[in-house]
Amino acid sequence: MKDYSLNSEHLNSKNLIPDTGIFNYLTNDEKLRLSNNVTLMNFERQDILFKQNMPSDHVVYIVSGLIKIYRGGRGYRVVCIKLAGPGEFAALSCAYASNIYRYSAAAIEKTVALMMRKEAFRDVLKNNGMFSVSLISLMGKEIIEVSNKLVNFSMKQLPGRVADMIRYFSEEVFNNTEFTVALTRQEMAELIGTTKESLIRTLNEFKHDKIIDLEGKHIKIISNDLIKVLSEIG
Amino acid sequence: MKDYSLNSEHLNSKNLIPDTGIFNYLTNDEKLRLSNNVTLMNFERQDILFKQNMPSDHVVYIVSGLIKIYRGGRGYRVVCIKLAGPGEFAALSCAYASNIYRYSAAAIEKTVALMMRKEAFRDVLKNNGMFSVSLISLMGKEIIEVSNKLVNFSMKQLPGRVADMIRYFSEEVFNNTEFTVALTRQEMAELIGTTKESLIRTLNEFKHDKIIDLEGKHIKIISNDLIKVLSEIG
DNA sequence: CTTTTATGATGATTTAGATCATCATTATAT
DNA sequence: ATATAATGATGATCTAAATCATCATAAAAG
């Protein structure tokens, strides 16, 4: 009994907030207060974290894994706005700018996420200037990223966008020239605004031209230079 | 002499910060301190407010007029990311997320803007929680807007995007079904990711189909319903 | 273990919209 | 006022990529 009670108390006061990134700016007290409004969640591939048009009540912080943030349109067509991995937030933009989620999020691989009640998160933002300025910096990066994607979508044609995607996986997600993506061809296509057929063709052309090695979901970059050139000339 | 001196002092302590929007959250003292780091600027059509790749040292607040925020790519191709009018900020995303401007801004019509030194702006953000949370809300809206544009670019074809543009002018910029845009056809095309020829053709088709009246830069919406339908079905 | 459903791969066909070319009209500069 | 440049407008042609169709293979479900 005594042990159990102790355990429970210990659990209640356990700090779920990581000691990384912008959370470094929080005091222990702030961490604890925020922590009491945080739920740690586990998601399997294809699990939904939140869905477009639902009331937006949480800010989501990815501890581990990978998720996709996407918008569905009429007729099953989907556009993937971005992926988010460890240390990244999701739904930040909706938290204080909208009362509903403006897009959906689903786990691409096994993912651990912290669901933070947005009111508690806001209280911390209000009281900790360094924390809020850091968040403003993060959101600025997100605006720049989405704008870049917009520019790439309008200026580059398929080979350029496919090269962009491969570069993104290699440089931003896996930090390796060789990697295995859990995404299907369909999902990859949604990430760069094309159809699965066109994506498959372009990937196989890259393979044929010895730019990449391709075996199922495993991609190995043979010529990083060519990938960079393709990505830059569009 | 005496009069002149008085005038000058009065000018120095003059508060340039507007009493609108998120600036309402500032105390008089904060307004004054910020005001000392603000320059009021006048721009004529085509004047550059800031240029891609320049060191980002200011946050820009539009008092009146209209500007375009755009990115140039190789070969004179340009993509317009968004327009910004009175009460809107520009370059917010670069201020604390980048040391350089990631895009350019130019006046579309005669524009008055406040150029706020980003360090002073940050000081206020750090010390005023309501102000920073409001800014976070504004930036969230911007992320949602750019994401929407990305989704529209990938899902809608030309008539849908042209209808989007007309709707945007009518509902967001001019609050009228009849308006005169200072943009050239080329600039309109850049706004919706197409070429001037295709834009001209589509606008003239709309005219022919009695959806709009078109005379040079003056547009009058005849059937708002059709515009909405076109914008929604894409 | 077999059936059913998702995924990956290719070929054939179609099409939206880019590109190229030309000319009229309207601004801007000399 | 006249020359020069920028803009708007249309037609002809071309092409990247979507769409449609089919089949192989892999994964999931019964």
Side-chain angles (χ1 to χ4, degrees):
Chain A
M1 271 292 259
K2 200 183 167 192
D3 265 347
Y4 175 81
S5 158
L6 207 72
N7 233 331
S8 166
E9 262 174 30
H10 183 256
L11 236 115
N12 277 338
S13 66
K14 194 184 168 187
N15 175 26
L16 289 169
I17 309 303
D19 288 312
T20 50
I22 88 170
F23 295 111
N24 273 326
Y25 292 112
L26 298 189
T27 64
N28 285 330
D29 186 53
E30 284 167 337
K31 280 185 192 172
L32 226 65
R33 272 191 294 137
L34 184 55
S35 186
N36 288 331
N37 288 281
V38 165
T39 316
L40 190 135
M41 295 279 288
N42 288 286
F43 298 95
E44 298 296 322
R45 167 159 174 84
Q46 302 290 30
D47 282 355
I48 303 288
L49 282 87
F50 54 84
K51 234 174 143 61
Q52 196 174 333
N53 296 324
M54 290 244 147
S56 97
D57 37 21
H58 287 94
V59 166
V60 180
Y61 179 83
I62 308 300
V63 177
S64 65
L66 196 65
I67 66 164
K68 61 171 177 180
I69 290 160
Y70 61 100
R71 278 258 313 255
R74 43 213 79 253
Y76 295 103
R77 206 171 155 77
V78 166
V79 179
C80 185
I81 295 162
K82 59 171 276 183
L83 303 183
E88 289 188 89
F89 284 94
L92 259 186
S93 53
C94 299
Y96 312 111
S98 167
N99 48 344
I100 56 168
Y101 293 115
R102 296 302 172 122
Y103 32 70
S104 306
I108 289 168
E109 8 174 289
K110 220 171 174 326
T111 293
V112 178
L114 296 173
M115 315 295 282
M116 309 179 158
R117 289 189 10 93
K118 70 180 191 184
E119 291 81 7
F121 196 85
R122 169 163 38 199
D123 288 341
V124 181
L125 281 171
K126 263 195 221 157
N127 293 312
N128 187 324
M130 278 307 291
F131 186 67
S132 49
V133 170
S134 306
L135 196 81
I136 286 169
S137 163
L138 279 186
M139 290 180 79
K141 286 204 181 83
E142 194 166 333
I143 294 173
I144 292 170
E145 266 171 34
V146 187
S147 307
N148 279 345
K149 192 156 181 172
L150 183 72
V151 172
N152 289 339
F153 271 38
S154 357
M155 296 221 277
K156 294 182 184 174
Q157 51 197 54
L158 215 59
R161 301 208 307 274
V162 171
D164 279 345
M165 181 188 71
I166 292 173
R167 234 181 132 171
Y168 167 72
F169 287 140
S170 162
E171 294 174 12
E172 314 279 328
V173 183
F174 301 102
N175 296 305
N176 201 318
T177 54
E178 196 168 346
F179 49 84
T180 305
V181 226
L183 297 169
T184 64
R185 300 290 192 261
Q186 174 69 49
E187 287 175 310
M188 287 187 204
E190 286 160 8
L191 196 57
I192 57 168
T194 183
T195 58
K196 62 175 191 304
E197 293 95 328
S198 296
L199 174 98
I200 289 169
R201 274 184 251 269
T202 309
L203 275 182
N204 288 333
E205 273 162 31
F206 281 14
K207 183 187 186 177
H208 208 262
D209 297 346
K210 310 267 185 233
I211 301 168
I212 58 168
D213 243 342
L214 186 66
E215 263 178 65
K217 295 187 196 303
H218 186 85
I219 295 176
K220 180 182 178 179
I221 300 176
I222 298 174
S223 170
N224 219 324
D225 289 348
L226 274 173
I227 287 289
K228 276 186 189 167
V229 168
L230 279 167
S231 141
E232 272 153 29
I233 63 169
Chain B
M1 271 291 259
K2 201 183 165 192
D3 265 346
Y4 175 80
S5 161
L6 206 71
N7 234 332
S8 166
E9 262 174 31
H10 183 255
L11 235 115
N12 277 340
S13 67
K14 193 185 170 187
N15 175 26
L16 290 169
I17 310 302
D19 289 311
T20 50
I22 88 171
F23 294 111
N24 273 327
Y25 291 112
L26 298 188
T27 63
N28 285 332
D29 186 53
E30 285 168 336
K31 280 186 191 169
L32 226 65
R33 272 190 293 137
L34 184 56
S35 187
N36 288 332
N37 288 281
V38 165
T39 316
L40 189 136
M41 296 277 290
N42 289 287
F43 298 95
E44 298 296 320
R45 166 158 175 84
Q46 302 291 29
D47 282 354
I48 303 287
L49 282 85
F50 54 85
K51 233 175 144 61
Q52 196 174 332
N53 297 324
M54 290 244 147
S56 97
D57 39 20
H58 287 94
V59 166
V60 180
Y61 180 83
I62 309 299
V63 176
S64 65
L66 195 66
I67 66 164
K68 61 172 176 178
I69 291 160
Y70 61 100
R71 279 259 312 258
R74 47 212 75 255
Y76 295 104
R77 207 171 153 75
V78 167
V79 179
C80 186
I81 296 162
K82 59 171 276 182
L83 304 183
E88 289 188 88
F89 284 95
L92 259 186
S93 54
C94 299
Y96 312 112
S98 167
N99 49 344
I100 56 169
Y101 293 114
R102 296 302 171 122
Y103 31 70
S104 308
I108 289 169
E109 9 175 288
K110 220 170 173 328
T111 292
V112 178
L114 297 174
M115 314 295 281
M116 308 179 157
R117 291 190 6 92
K118 71 180 189 183
E119 292 80 9
F121 196 83
R122 170 165 35 199
D123 288 341
V124 181
L125 281 172
K126 265 195 221 158
N127 293 311
N128 188 325
M130 278 307 291
F131 186 67
S132 50
V133 170
S134 306
L135 196 80
I136 286 169
S137 164
L138 279 186
M139 291 180 78
K141 287 205 180 83
E142 195 166 333
I143 294 173
I144 293 170
E145 266 172 35
V146 187
S147 306
N148 280 345
K149 193 157 181 173
L150 183 72
V151 173
N152 288 340
F153 271 38
S154 356
M155 295 221 278
K156 294 182 185 175
Q157 51 197 54
L158 214 58
R161 302 209 305 274
V162 171
D164 279 344
M165 180 187 72
I166 292 172
R167 233 180 134 172
Y168 168 71
F169 286 141
S170 161
E171 293 173 13
E172 313 280 327
V173 183
F174 301 102
N175 297 305
N176 201 319
T177 54
E178 196 168 346
F179 49 85
T180 304
V181 225
L183 296 169
T184 63
R185 300 291 193 259
Q186 174 70 48
E187 287 175 309
M188 287 186 204
E190 286 160 7
L191 196 57
I192 57 168
T194 183
T195 57
K196 60 175 192 303
E197 293 95 329
S198 296
L199 175 98
I200 289 169
R201 273 184 252 270
T202 310
L203 276 181
N204 288 333
E205 272 163 33
F206 281 14
K207 182 185 186 178
H208 207 262
D209 297 346
K210 309 269 184 232
I211 301 167
I212 58 167
D213 244 342
L214 185 67
E215 263 180 64
K217 296 187 194 304
H218 187 84
I219 296 176
K220 180 182 178 177
I221 299 175
I222 299 174
S223 169
N224 219 325
D225 289 348
L226 274 174
I227 287 289
K228 277 186 188 168
V229 169
L230 279 167
S231 140
E232 272 153 29
I233 62 168

